[in-house]
PDB file of all heavy atoms in Angstrom:
ATOM      1  N   ALA A 160     -40.043  44.685  -7.389  1.00  0.00           N
ATOM      2  CA  ALA A 160     -40.724  45.020  -6.171  1.00  0.00           C
ATOM      3  C   ALA A 160     -40.167  46.235  -5.524  1.00  0.00           C
ATOM      4  O   ALA A 160     -41.013  47.089  -5.088  1.00  0.00           O
ATOM      5  CB  ALA A 160     -40.606  43.816  -5.205  1.00  0.00           C
ATOM      6  N   VAL A 161     -38.877  46.514  -5.641  1.00  0.00           N
ATOM      7  CA  VAL A 161     -38.234  47.743  -5.004  1.00  0.00           C
ATOM      8  C   VAL A 161     -38.530  48.977  -5.857  1.00  0.00           C
ATOM      9  O   VAL A 161     -39.088  50.084  -5.379  1.00  0.00           O
ATOM     10  CB  VAL A 161     -36.730  47.550  -4.850  1.00  0.00           C
ATOM     11  CG1 VAL A 161     -36.139  48.832  -4.442  1.00  0.00           C
ATOM     12  CG2 VAL A 161     -36.424  46.457  -3.876  1.00  0.00           C
ATOM     13  N   LEU A 162     -38.726  48.792  -7.180  1.00  0.00           N
ATOM     14  CA  LEU A 162     -39.248  49.890  -7.977  1.00  0.00           C
ATOM     15  C   LEU A 162     -40.626  50.296  -7.725  1.00  0.00           C
ATOM     16  O   LEU A 162     -41.007  51.448  -7.634  1.00  0.00           O
ATOM     17  CB  LEU A 162     -38.910  49.597  -9.458  1.00  0.00           C
ATOM     18  CG  LEU A 162     -37.552  49.608 -10.028  1.00  0.00           C
ATOM     19  CD1 LEU A 162     -37.512  49.174 -11.524  1.00  0.00           C
ATOM     20  CD2 LEU A 162     -36.997  50.950  -9.915  1.00  0.00           C
ATOM     21  N   ASP A 163     -41.547  49.295  -7.489  1.00  0.00           N
ATOM     22  CA  ASP A 163     -42.917  49.531  -7.149  1.00  0.00           C
ATOM     23  C   ASP A 163     -42.994  50.298  -5.813  1.00  0.00           C
ATOM     24  O   ASP A 163     -43.812  51.285  -5.734  1.00  0.00           O
ATOM     25  CB  ASP A 163     -43.702  48.248  -7.034  1.00  0.00           C
ATOM     26  CG  ASP A 163     -45.156  48.457  -6.619  1.00  0.00           C
ATOM     27  OD1 ASP A 163     -45.812  49.038  -7.470  1.00  0.00           O
ATOM     28  OD2 ASP A 163     -45.498  47.992  -5.570  1.00  0.00           O
ATOM     29  N   TYR A 164     -42.030  49.984  -4.902  1.00  0.00           N
ATOM     30  CA  TYR A 164     -42.097  50.790  -3.637  1.00  0.00           C
ATOM     31  C   TYR A 164     -41.505  52.163  -3.777  1.00  0.00           C
ATOM     32  O   TYR A 164     -42.058  53.280  -3.309  1.00  0.00           O
ATOM     33  CB  TYR A 164     -41.293  49.919  -2.593  1.00  0.00           C
ATOM     34  CG  TYR A 164     -40.760  50.896  -1.466  1.00  0.00           C
ATOM     35  CD1 TYR A 164     -41.499  51.300  -0.408  1.00  0.00           C
ATOM     36  CD2 TYR A 164     -39.361  51.212  -1.494  1.00  0.00           C
ATOM     37  CE1 TYR A 164     -40.889  52.161   0.515  1.00  0.00           C
ATOM     38  CE2 TYR A 164     -38.815  51.940  -0.509  1.00  0.00           C
ATOM     39  CZ  TYR A 164     -39.643  52.448   0.501  1.00  0.00           C
ATOM     40  OH  TYR A 164     -39.122  53.310   1.457  1.00  0.00           O
ATOM     41  N   SER A 165     -40.375  52.281  -4.451  1.00  0.00           N
ATOM     42  CA  SER A 165     -39.752  53.558  -4.521  1.00  0.00           C
ATOM     43  C   SER A 165     -40.468  54.588  -5.370  1.00  0.00           C
ATOM     44  O   SER A 165     -40.358  55.735  -5.198  1.00  0.00           O
ATOM     45  CB  SER A 165     -38.365  53.435  -5.162  1.00  0.00           C
ATOM     46  OG  SER A 165     -38.396  52.715  -6.430  1.00  0.00           O
ATOM     47  N   THR A 166     -41.203  54.156  -6.478  1.00  0.00           N
ATOM     48  CA  THR A 166     -41.983  55.051  -7.206  1.00  0.00           C
ATOM     49  C   THR A 166     -43.265  55.326  -6.707  1.00  0.00           C
ATOM     50  O   THR A 166     -43.986  56.171  -7.333  1.00  0.00           O
ATOM     51  CB  THR A 166     -42.076  54.437  -8.732  1.00  0.00           C
ATOM     52  OG1 THR A 166     -42.717  53.271  -8.603  1.00  0.00           O
ATOM     53  CG2 THR A 166     -40.676  54.309  -9.316  1.00  0.00           C
ATOM     54  N   GLY A 167     -43.652  54.604  -5.657  1.00  0.00           N
ATOM     55  CA  GLY A 167     -44.958  54.824  -5.174  1.00  0.00           C
ATOM     56  C   GLY A 167     -46.078  54.260  -5.752  1.00  0.00           C
ATOM     57  O   GLY A 167     -47.333  54.643  -5.658  1.00  0.00           O
ATOM     58  N   GLY A 168     -45.804  53.230  -6.689  1.00  0.00           N
ATOM     59  CA  GLY A 168     -46.836  52.622  -7.397  1.00  0.00           C
ATOM     60  C   GLY A 168     -47.910  51.900  -6.551  1.00  0.00           C
ATOM     61  O   GLY A 168     -48.915  51.674  -6.956  1.00  0.00           O
ATOM     62  N   TRP A 169     -47.265  51.441  -5.383  1.00  0.00           N
ATOM     63  CA  TRP A 169     -48.313  50.669  -4.536  1.00  0.00           C
ATOM     64  C   TRP A 169     -49.512  51.475  -3.955  1.00  0.00           C
ATOM     65  O   TRP A 169     -50.503  50.952  -3.630  1.00  0.00           O
ATOM     66  CB  TRP A 169     -47.470  50.108  -3.297  1.00  0.00           C
ATOM     67  CG  TRP A 169     -46.888  51.235  -2.402  1.00  0.00           C
ATOM     68  CD1 TRP A 169     -45.679  51.780  -2.720  1.00  0.00           C
ATOM     69  CD2 TRP A 169     -47.422  51.624  -1.294  1.00  0.00           C
ATOM     70  NE1 TRP A 169     -45.455  52.711  -1.639  1.00  0.00           N
ATOM     71  CE2 TRP A 169     -46.525  52.678  -0.804  1.00  0.00           C
ATOM     72  CE3 TRP A 169     -48.702  51.474  -0.519  1.00  0.00           C
ATOM     73  CZ2 TRP A 169     -46.744  53.437   0.390  1.00  0.00           C
ATOM     74  CZ3 TRP A 169     -48.812  52.170   0.609  1.00  0.00           C
ATOM     75  CH2 TRP A 169     -47.962  53.126   1.036  1.00  0.00           C
ATOM     76  N   ARG A 170     -49.188  52.897  -4.029  1.00  0.00           N
ATOM     77  CA  ARG A 170     -50.324  53.814  -3.526  1.00  0.00           C
ATOM     78  C   ARG A 170     -51.548  53.790  -4.454  1.00  0.00           C
ATOM     79  O   ARG A 170     -52.570  54.249  -4.022  1.00  0.00           O
ATOM     80  CB  ARG A 170     -49.727  55.183  -3.245  1.00  0.00           C
ATOM     81  CG  ARG A 170     -48.811  55.281  -2.086  1.00  0.00           C
ATOM     82  CD  ARG A 170     -48.480  56.746  -1.802  1.00  0.00           C
ATOM     83  NE  ARG A 170     -47.621  56.853  -0.634  1.00  0.00           N
ATOM     84  CZ  ARG A 170     -46.290  56.772  -0.575  1.00  0.00           C
ATOM     85  NH1 ARG A 170     -45.694  56.639  -1.775  1.00  0.00           N
ATOM     86  NH2 ARG A 170     -45.667  56.937   0.491  1.00  0.00           N
ATOM     87  N   THR A 171     -51.344  53.479  -5.654  1.00  0.00           N
ATOM     88  CA  THR A 171     -52.455  53.608  -6.718  1.00  0.00           C
ATOM     89  C   THR A 171     -53.502  52.531  -6.407  1.00  0.00           C
ATOM     90  O   THR A 171     -54.675  52.702  -6.895  1.00  0.00           O
ATOM     91  CB  THR A 171     -51.901  53.431  -8.086  1.00  0.00           C
ATOM     92  OG1 THR A 171     -51.285  52.239  -8.150  1.00  0.00           O
ATOM     93  CG2 THR A 171     -50.944  54.537  -8.393  1.00  0.00           C
ATOM     94  N   VAL A 172     -53.116  51.405  -5.659  1.00  0.00           N
ATOM     95  CA  VAL A 172     -54.130  50.411  -5.353  1.00  0.00           C
ATOM     96  C   VAL A 172     -54.306  50.151  -3.997  1.00  0.00           C
ATOM     97  O   VAL A 172     -55.172  49.394  -3.571  1.00  0.00           O
ATOM     98  CB  VAL A 172     -53.689  49.031  -6.096  1.00  0.00           C
ATOM     99  CG1 VAL A 172     -53.743  49.128  -7.608  1.00  0.00           C
ATOM    100  CG2 VAL A 172     -52.281  48.635  -5.567  1.00  0.00           C
ATOM    101  N   ALA A 173     -53.617  50.899  -3.159  1.00  0.00           N
ATOM    102  CA  ALA A 173     -53.629  50.654  -1.664  1.00  0.00           C
ATOM    103  C   ALA A 173     -55.033  51.332  -1.054  1.00  0.00           C
ATOM    104  O   ALA A 173     -55.542  52.347  -1.604  1.00  0.00           O
ATOM    105  CB  ALA A 173     -52.513  51.305  -0.854  1.00  0.00           C
ATOM    106  N   ARG A 174     -55.493  50.644  -0.070  1.00  0.00           N
ATOM    107  CA  ARG A 174     -56.652  51.195   0.644  1.00  0.00           C
ATOM    108  C   ARG A 174     -56.302  52.107   1.690  1.00  0.00           C
ATOM    109  O   ARG A 174     -57.030  53.067   2.197  1.00  0.00           O
ATOM    110  CB  ARG A 174     -57.486  50.036   1.291  1.00  0.00           C
ATOM    111  CG  ARG A 174     -58.106  49.070   0.308  1.00  0.00           C
ATOM    112  CD  ARG A 174     -59.013  48.161   1.088  1.00  0.00           C
ATOM    113  NE  ARG A 174     -58.523  47.551   2.281  1.00  0.00           N
ATOM    114  CZ  ARG A 174     -57.874  46.463   2.282  1.00  0.00           C
ATOM    115  NH1 ARG A 174     -57.659  45.756   1.216  1.00  0.00           N
ATOM    116  NH2 ARG A 174     -57.367  45.914   3.459  1.00  0.00           N
ATOM    117  N   ASP A 175     -55.085  52.020   2.110  1.00  0.00           N
ATOM    118  CA  ASP A 175     -54.473  53.004   3.097  1.00  0.00           C
ATOM    119  C   ASP A 175     -53.077  53.330   2.668  1.00  0.00           C
ATOM    120  O   ASP A 175     -52.181  52.697   2.825  1.00  0.00           O
ATOM    121  CB  ASP A 175     -54.416  52.286   4.551  1.00  0.00           C
ATOM    122  CG  ASP A 175     -53.952  53.134   5.637  1.00  0.00           C
ATOM    123  OD1 ASP A 175     -53.775  54.420   5.340  1.00  0.00           O
ATOM    124  OD2 ASP A 175     -53.780  52.683   6.797  1.00  0.00           O
ATOM    125  N   VAL A 176     -53.009  54.613   2.276  1.00  0.00           N
ATOM    126  CA  VAL A 176     -51.765  55.121   1.662  1.00  0.00           C
ATOM    127  C   VAL A 176     -50.779  55.667   2.806  1.00  0.00           C
ATOM    128  O   VAL A 176     -49.605  56.013   2.688  1.00  0.00           O
ATOM    129  CB  VAL A 176     -51.979  56.334   0.687  1.00  0.00           C
ATOM    130  CG1 VAL A 176     -52.678  55.800  -0.563  1.00  0.00           C
ATOM    131  CG2 VAL A 176     -52.681  57.426   1.328  1.00  0.00           C
ATOM    132  N   GLU A 177     -51.326  55.622   4.047  1.00  0.00           N
ATOM    133  CA  GLU A 177     -50.534  56.018   5.297  1.00  0.00           C
ATOM    134  C   GLU A 177     -49.733  54.848   5.840  1.00  0.00           C
ATOM    135  O   GLU A 177     -49.112  55.108   6.913  1.00  0.00           O
ATOM    136  CB  GLU A 177     -51.445  56.668   6.268  1.00  0.00           C
ATOM    137  CG  GLU A 177     -52.197  57.814   5.743  1.00  0.00           C
ATOM    138  CD  GLU A 177     -51.277  58.947   5.229  1.00  0.00           C
ATOM    139  OE1 GLU A 177     -50.241  59.141   5.818  1.00  0.00           O
ATOM    140  OE2 GLU A 177     -51.724  59.677   4.252  1.00  0.00           O
ATOM    141  N   VAL A 178     -49.696  53.732   5.229  1.00  0.00           N
ATOM    142  CA  VAL A 178     -48.964  52.644   5.788  1.00  0.00           C
ATOM    143  C   VAL A 178     -47.556  53.047   5.838  1.00  0.00           C
ATOM    144  O   VAL A 178     -46.894  53.651   4.753  1.00  0.00           O
ATOM    145  CB  VAL A 178     -49.122  51.373   4.913  1.00  0.00           C
ATOM    146  CG1 VAL A 178     -48.229  50.217   5.497  1.00  0.00           C
ATOM    147  CG2 VAL A 178     -50.545  50.949   4.991  1.00  0.00           C
ATOM    148  N   PRO A 179     -46.701  52.838   6.905  1.00  0.00           N
ATOM    149  CA  PRO A 179     -45.288  53.221   6.905  1.00  0.00           C
ATOM    150  C   PRO A 179     -44.480  52.586   5.772  1.00  0.00           C
ATOM    151  O   PRO A 179     -44.670  51.334   5.496  1.00  0.00           O
ATOM    152  CB  PRO A 179     -44.753  52.581   8.212  1.00  0.00           C
ATOM    153  CG  PRO A 179     -46.051  52.582   9.058  1.00  0.00           C
ATOM    154  CD  PRO A 179     -47.133  52.254   8.158  1.00  0.00           C
ATOM    155  N   GLU A 180     -43.671  53.417   5.112  1.00  0.00           N
ATOM    156  CA  GLU A 180     -42.930  52.968   3.898  1.00  0.00           C
ATOM    157  C   GLU A 180     -42.024  51.834   4.237  1.00  0.00           C
ATOM    158  O   GLU A 180     -41.762  50.893   3.449  1.00  0.00           O
ATOM    159  CB  GLU A 180     -42.198  54.149   3.293  1.00  0.00           C
ATOM    160  CG  GLU A 180     -43.117  55.138   2.606  1.00  0.00           C
ATOM    161  CD  GLU A 180     -42.406  56.254   1.964  1.00  0.00           C
ATOM    162  OE1 GLU A 180     -41.237  56.165   1.885  1.00  0.00           O
ATOM    163  OE2 GLU A 180     -43.086  57.046   1.219  1.00  0.00           O
ATOM    164  N   PRO A 181     -41.188  51.846   5.382  1.00  0.00           N
ATOM    165  CA  PRO A 181     -40.378  50.628   5.738  1.00  0.00           C
ATOM    166  C   PRO A 181     -41.026  49.380   5.685  1.00  0.00           C
ATOM    167  O   PRO A 181     -40.598  48.355   5.378  1.00  0.00           O
ATOM    168  CB  PRO A 181     -39.733  51.138   7.143  1.00  0.00           C
ATOM    169  CG  PRO A 181     -39.869  52.616   7.198  1.00  0.00           C
ATOM    170  CD  PRO A 181     -41.079  52.968   6.372  1.00  0.00           C
ATOM    171  N   LEU A 182     -42.406  49.374   6.289  1.00  0.00           N
ATOM    172  CA  LEU A 182     -43.159  48.292   6.301  1.00  0.00           C
ATOM    173  C   LEU A 182     -43.497  47.745   4.912  1.00  0.00           C
ATOM    174  O   LEU A 182     -43.445  46.465   4.545  1.00  0.00           O
ATOM    175  CB  LEU A 182     -44.409  48.452   7.115  1.00  0.00           C
ATOM    176  CG  LEU A 182     -45.353  47.117   7.271  1.00  0.00           C
ATOM    177  CD1 LEU A 182     -44.684  46.065   7.969  1.00  0.00           C
ATOM    178  CD2 LEU A 182     -46.689  47.575   8.093  1.00  0.00           C
ATOM    179  N   VAL A 183     -43.762  48.729   3.991  1.00  0.00           N
ATOM    180  CA  VAL A 183     -44.095  48.344   2.617  1.00  0.00           C
ATOM    181  C   VAL A 183     -42.861  47.675   1.940  1.00  0.00           C
ATOM    182  O   VAL A 183     -42.946  46.738   1.247  1.00  0.00           O
ATOM    183  CB  VAL A 183     -44.487  49.626   1.913  1.00  0.00           C
ATOM    184  CG1 VAL A 183     -44.750  49.210   0.417  1.00  0.00           C
ATOM    185  CG2 VAL A 183     -45.877  50.133   2.459  1.00  0.00           C
ATOM    186  N   LEU A 184     -41.549  48.321   2.263  1.00  0.00           N
ATOM    187  CA  LEU A 184     -40.423  47.807   1.645  1.00  0.00           C
ATOM    188  C   LEU A 184     -40.192  46.339   2.150  1.00  0.00           C
ATOM    189  O   LEU A 184     -39.782  45.506   1.418  1.00  0.00           O
ATOM    190  CB  LEU A 184     -39.266  48.697   1.895  1.00  0.00           C
ATOM    191  CG  LEU A 184     -37.934  48.367   1.512  1.00  0.00           C
ATOM    192  CD1 LEU A 184     -37.881  48.022   0.025  1.00  0.00           C
ATOM    193  CD2 LEU A 184     -36.827  49.201   1.918  1.00  0.00           C
ATOM    194  N   LEU A 185     -40.384  46.180   3.527  1.00  0.00           N
ATOM    195  CA  LEU A 185     -40.194  44.963   4.108  1.00  0.00           C
ATOM    196  C   LEU A 185     -41.048  43.824   3.572  1.00  0.00           C
ATOM    197  O   LEU A 185     -40.553  42.641   3.129  1.00  0.00           O
ATOM    198  CB  LEU A 185     -40.432  44.939   5.622  1.00  0.00           C
ATOM    199  CG  LEU A 185     -40.214  43.636   6.399  1.00  0.00           C
ATOM    200  CD1 LEU A 185     -38.754  43.164   6.117  1.00  0.00           C
ATOM    201  CD2 LEU A 185     -40.553  43.860   7.865  1.00  0.00           C
ATOM    202  N   MET A 186     -42.373  44.133   3.306  1.00  0.00           N
ATOM    203  CA  MET A 186     -43.311  43.231   2.633  1.00  0.00           C
ATOM    204  C   MET A 186     -42.930  42.916   1.235  1.00  0.00           C
ATOM    205  O   MET A 186     -42.922  41.818   0.827  1.00  0.00           O
ATOM    206  CB  MET A 186     -44.718  43.740   2.809  1.00  0.00           C
ATOM    207  CG  MET A 186     -45.254  43.740   4.161  1.00  0.00           C
ATOM    208  SD  MET A 186     -47.067  44.123   4.264  1.00  0.00           S
ATOM    209  CE  MET A 186     -47.092  45.788   3.639  1.00  0.00           C
ATOM    210  N   SER A 187     -42.505  44.009   0.511  1.00  0.00           N
ATOM    211  CA  SER A 187     -42.070  43.661  -0.865  1.00  0.00           C
ATOM    212  C   SER A 187     -40.814  42.719  -1.029  1.00  0.00           C
ATOM    213  O   SER A 187     -40.783  41.879  -1.761  1.00  0.00           O
ATOM    214  CB  SER A 187     -41.658  45.078  -1.584  1.00  0.00           C
ATOM    215  OG  SER A 187     -42.819  45.978  -1.661  1.00  0.00           O
ATOM    216  N   LEU A 188     -39.920  42.933  -0.120  1.00  0.00           N
ATOM    217  CA  LEU A 188     -38.724  42.051  -0.018  1.00  0.00           C
ATOM    218  C   LEU A 188     -39.194  40.594   0.370  1.00  0.00           C
ATOM    219  O   LEU A 188     -38.558  39.587  -0.080  1.00  0.00           O
ATOM    220  CB  LEU A 188     -37.689  42.589   0.854  1.00  0.00           C
ATOM    221  CG  LEU A 188     -36.993  43.899   0.350  1.00  0.00           C
ATOM    222  CD1 LEU A 188     -35.968  44.390   1.436  1.00  0.00           C
ATOM    223  CD2 LEU A 188     -36.414  43.649  -0.951  1.00  0.00           C
TER     224      LEU A 188
END
Side-chain angles (χ1 to χ4, degrees):
V161 172
L162 286 176
D163 180 64
Y164 155 76
S165 61
T166 59
W169 63 276
R170 289 188 174 90
T171 60
V172 295
R174 294 193 311 271
D175 184 3
V176 296
E177 301 300 328
V178 178
E180 292 188 357
L182 181 59
V183 174
L184 176 61
L185 178 63
M186 288 190 295
S187 299
L188 293 177

